[in-house]
Amino acid sequence: MNDIKEKYTCDACRYTFESDKLPDRCPDCGKLQVRRASESEIYEFEHRFDNEKE
Ligand SMILES: [Zn+2]
């Protein structure tokens, strides 16, 4: 089985996160404004962690 996760973004707080299914609520702010992340948001998400390498 593949462990492929979609990326979603909350329109209320702009929090982008990975999940294997669309959650009802944003895990950050709890609002019901979660949608699929756009390509640019996915790009930002994937590069968000670049600075954490040491
Ligand atoms: Zn949110």
Side-chain angles (χ1 to χ4, degrees):
M1 276 173 60
N2 289 332
D3 187 27
I4 297 175
K5 295 193 171 181
E6 289 286 343
K7 293 179 180 64
Y8 300 97
T9 295
C10 170
D11 266 333
C13 69
R14 291 291 176 185
Y15 179 62
T16 301
F17 56 96
E18 284 182 315
S19 180
D20 54 5
K21 61 181 170 59
L22 180 65
D24 287 336
R25 290 176 181 276
C26 168
D28 193 47
C29 72
K31 295 216 170 110
L32 302 169
Q33 296 184 43
V34 180
R35 56 164 172 77
R36 279 197 165 185
S38 67
E39 281 190 27
S40 62
E41 285 160 348
I42 291 170
Y43 180 90
E44 285 182 23
F45 176 85
E46 289 177 342
H47 291 77
R48 178 187 301 170
F49 303 107
D50 286 358
N51 296 333
E52 294 182 4
K53 291 174 189 165
E54 296 190 25

